Amino acid sequence: MNLYDLLAARFPADRTRPAFLLADGTAISYGQFEDDVARTAALLIDHEVQPGDRIALQSEKSVAAVAVYLATLKVGAVFLPLNTAYTETEVDYFLEDAEPVLFVEDAEAFVADARTREPLLPTTPRDGADLASIIYTSGTTGRSKGAMLSHGNLAANAQALHQAWGFSADDVLLHALPIFHVHGLFVALHCAFLSGAPMVWLPKFDDGQVLAGLARSTVMMGVPTFYTRLLANPGFTRHAARHMRLFICGSAPLLESTFAEFEDRTGMRILERYGMSEAVIITTNPLDGERIAGSVGYPLPGVDLRIGGGEATGVIEIKGPSVFSAYWRMPEKTAEEFTSDGYFLTGDVGRRDPDGRVWISGRAKDLIISGGFNVYPKEIELILDELPGVTESAVVGVPHPDFGEAVVAVVMGQGDEAAMIATAREKLAAFKTPKRVFFVEELPRNAMGKVQKNLLRDTYAGTFAQAEA
Ligand code: AMP
């Protein structure tokens, strides 16, 4: 079934109900929105868009951009969202690689033009395996890869999440995420649409606007930085969160200290989940059971998750209805990242505890091999994060003439390097103990709040160069 029909079938029977509550106090009803989608679909057909054609969009976050997304699904075309921060050179690569028939740079103008068309009513039928979207991975090494997600992938995940997180028509979802990434685009929008629920629609995260929005919301989805920024605002209190039933977090690791501080402040536990462009959401902490800091919870129903490599900790491998089929036009890369029995190698390293909960220790490519020993950065970061003066730490490996790689810690905060190394050494084997600690005001992060370890590795690459002399 076409994902569009699945979502639209759940729009509220009373189409005057709001779909988007805007910051200026106005609302866009489900009826108005559905009409915009149908007229935009008509405009796409006028542009001779065929099923399977790609439609690229690099536009500021807006309701119109969401209408372009749904209209693309409706006509059976393939949605290609692009990060608004991409430069022209970067965009050129995506356009050459994906060969879209249309590139929408101003969604508002596109939809305004569509309003002069008659609405297109029938939806182009699609099979579960038909392509719905291509999501380019952030690609910190090598060429960015386009993860191909089908109607079936997205529908399966949306239904599983709607159920797992207990969404209903009584919910109001606070949406402050960007919509060029799976989190804001699929996870958030699909949960709201399947509930026929309104969204408090914010162009971006702004703590003041989010605080105001919380007063009329019941669920919020965010990345860890949303939560650290909220906690930094004294206005964020138990009272401010009084209507909220659920705070969901993912896309980057949530610090245990953030989880704890959040619980102290609001009496609620953040629900952390784990996902990626290639599979949307993979695991989640339970809605009703215990949510544990540091664990990303259990695999969603239907997801088969195992740890590769024969050790307790290893690369997480997954199979399931939401797992993508291939990287766009990269058959070799695709083959490398699936096992012979069909599991996708996520590239994340983790373990499962006896209860079946999943714990992530970092990306495989961030693994440090020092003097022949494997060092998982997360183990060291957890210890450093506990030390006074440390807000957050990031541990990376940099070239070392003797050890191959050496452990280096970059700490957001202040402290004494020698003392910190000595304290860490009390808890860690010598080969795991950072050889140097650098203090910074801010760690470099991408739009989803992920610490960009590749940048840290570059910055500190020369740290031990002297020793070569
Ligand atoms: P992306 O494809 O940009 O969504 O990035 C996916 C990656 O984000 C995953 O492979 C993980 O490395 C990371 N990630 C997502 N959620 C979590 C989480 N809750 N904890 C730790 N890492 C996460």
Side-chain angles (χ1 to χ4, degrees), residues 138 181 251-253 272-277 296 348 360 363 450:
S138 25
H181 182 272
S251 291
E272 187 178 7
R273 94 298 178 286
Y274 155 62
M276 63 198 309
S277 304
V296 292
D348 290 308
I360 294 180
R363 297 286 298 163
K450 284 197 228 310

Side-chain angles (χ1 to χ4, degrees), residues 135-138 181-183 224 249-254 272-278 280 282-283 294-296 346-348 360 362-363 378 446 448 450:
I135 303 289
Y136 279 91
T137 57
S138 25
H181 182 272
V182 290
H183 194 169
C249 182
S251 291
L254 178 67
E272 187 178 7
R273 94 298 178 286
Y274 155 62
M276 63 198 309
S277 304
E278 290 90 338
V280 200
I282 303 163
T283 72
S295 168
V296 292
T346 60
D348 290 308
I360 294 180
R363 297 286 298 163
K378 179 80 181 250
N446 73 4
M448 301 310 289
K450 284 197 228 310

Side-chain angles (χ1 to χ4, degrees), residues 52-387:
D53 282 349
R54 277 77 58 207
I55 293 172
L57 177 113
Q58 187 191 35
S59 180
E60 289 310 318
K61 179 176 176 180
S62 65
V63 175
V66 182
V68 173
Y69 163 48
L70 289 196
T72 301
L73 292 178
K74 191 171 166 65
V75 302
V78 176
F79 190 62
L80 170 58
L82 294 172
N83 189 328
T84 42
Y86 284 147
T87 62
E88 224 175 287
T89 324
E90 287 165 316
V91 169
D92 283 347
Y93 163 73
F94 298 113
L95 300 185
E96 272 168 36
D97 192 51
E99 297 185 293
V101 295
L102 268 182
F103 177 31
V104 179
E105 289 177 273
D106 181 346
E108 306 269 10
F110 195 75
V111 172
D113 182 15
R115 291 199 182 113
T116 61
R117 306 300 197 279
E118 286 303 310
L120 176 84
L121 298 175
T123 295
T124 304
R126 295 276 84 187
D127 282 341
D130 284 329
L131 191 55
S133 182
I134 299 176
I135 303 289
Y136 279 91
T137 57
S138 25
T140 45
T141 47
R143 288 172 65 207
S144 181
K145 299 167 292 205
M148 297 167 68
L149 292 158
S150 68
H151 284 257
N153 291 150
L154 297 179
N157 208 248
Q159 286 167 311
L161 296 177
H162 182 261
Q163 170 87 29
W165 295 338
F167 268 92
S168 79
D170 297 331
D171 278 315
V172 179
L173 177 68
L174 191 142
H175 195 306
L177 290 159
I179 54 168
F180 50 72
H181 182 272
V182 290
H183 194 169
L185 181 63
F186 302 141
V187 181
L189 289 178
H190 295 169
C191 278
F193 290 149
L194 281 181
S195 316
M199 284 176 272
V200 168
W201 187 252
L202 302 179
K204 60 176 177 34
F205 183 91
D206 169 279
D207 55 342
Q209 282 192 337
V210 168
L211 268 183
L214 286 178
R216 42 183 195 160
S217 306
T218 64
V219 182
M220 170 170 147
M221 292 186 192
V223 295
T225 35
F226 283 17
Y227 293 106
T228 49
R229 287 189 210 160
L230 263 183
L231 287 166
N233 186 319
F236 182 60
T237 57
R238 196 176 277 253
H239 182 75
R242 68 197 176 283
H243 300 306
M244 296 294 291
R245 69 169 183 89
L246 189 59
F247 288 93
I248 304 174
C249 182
S251 291
L254 178 67
L255 293 180
E256 293 188 21
S257 56
T258 310
F259 181 95
E261 198 187 327
F262 194 93
E263 187 172 10
D264 275 355
R265 187 83 70 88
T266 62
M268 295 174 77
R269 288 189 172 191
I270 296 174
L271 182 151
E272 187 178 7
R273 94 298 178 286
Y274 155 62
M276 63 198 309
S277 304
E278 290 90 338
V280 200
I281 300 298
I282 303 163
T283 72
T284 179
N285 270 275
L287 180 65
D288 296 321
E290 202 182 351
R291 299 175 201 159
I292 298 184
S295 168
V296 292
Y298 304 96
L300 280 176
V303 174
D304 190 355
L305 183 150
R306 69 185 189 191
I307 306 295
E311 304 275 331
T313 299
V315 172
I316 296 173
E317 304 181 357
I318 53 167
K319 198 187 250 192
S322 71
V323 179
F324 79 129
S325 53
Y327 289 114
W328 175 257
R329 292 180 178 166
M330 286 188 175
E332 280 156 27
K333 212 51 226 140
T334 304
E336 276 169 26
E337 300 199 14
F338 280 88
T339 64
S340 54
D341 58 347
Y343 284 77
F344 170 58
L345 302 165
T346 60
D348 290 308
V349 175
R351 65 181 172 86
R352 291 188 84 168
D353 67 18
D355 289 338
R357 287 178 197 269
V358 178
W359 299 74
I360 294 180
S361 29
R363 297 286 298 163
K365 63 173 197 287
D366 294 332
L367 177 81
I368 304 165
I369 305 181
S370 189
F373 294 110
N374 285 1
V375 181
Y376 294 106
K378 179 80 181 250
E379 185 188 350
I380 300 153
E381 289 160 4
L382 285 174
I383 286 170
L384 298 179
D385 289 350
E386 291 291 306
L387 302 180

